[in-house]
Amino acid sequence: MPVTHNRYRPATTPHIIPAEELDAGQKAQLVNGCPAGLFRYTADGGLTVDFHGCLECGTCRLLCDPDTLARWQYPASGFGIVYRFG
Ligand code: SF4
């Protein structure tokens, strides 16, 4: 069936999760390393990641060890944008 308009189906399960206990250096590595700027400091000094915008470039995975990223995997299929064609 042809796609008549762009559709976006966001994933509900994060495919990237920072570790719970991160020191300032580990947080800075994620915040400064992601080319999409998806890691951000929270007001209370924590860290969030907007995994929906991930480019799947792997930079954070290469920069960090398992003590920094609790999870890094490719996102589940069937989510994201489906472009209209025709
Ligand atoms: S894989 Fe790339 S775009 Fe995605 S969160 Fe890591 S550094 Fe950012």
Side-chain angles (χ1 to χ4, degrees), residues 25-76:
Q26 290 169 312
K27 290 177 188 173
Q29 201 170 28
L30 290 168
V31 170
N32 296 326
C34 175
L38 302 181
F39 294 93
R40 298 204 175 165
Y41 293 108
T42 60
D44 63 357
L47 194 72
T48 63
V49 55
D50 179 15
F51 66 93
H52 291 114
C54 180
L55 306 171
E56 300 174 36
C57 69
T59 301
C60 58
R61 185 178 189 188
L62 290 171
L63 288 175
C64 301
D65 58 21
D67 291 336
T68 306
L69 280 179
R71 177 189 294 168
W72 194 103
Q73 62 192 34
Y74 286 107

Side-chain angles (χ1 to χ4, degrees), residues 1-9 80-86:
M1 183 163 92
V3 177
T4 56
H5 56 279
N6 293 344
R7 290 182 298 172
Y8 186 70
R9 185 171 169 228
I81 192 161
V82 177
Y83 291 104
R84 177 186 67 87
F85 64 90

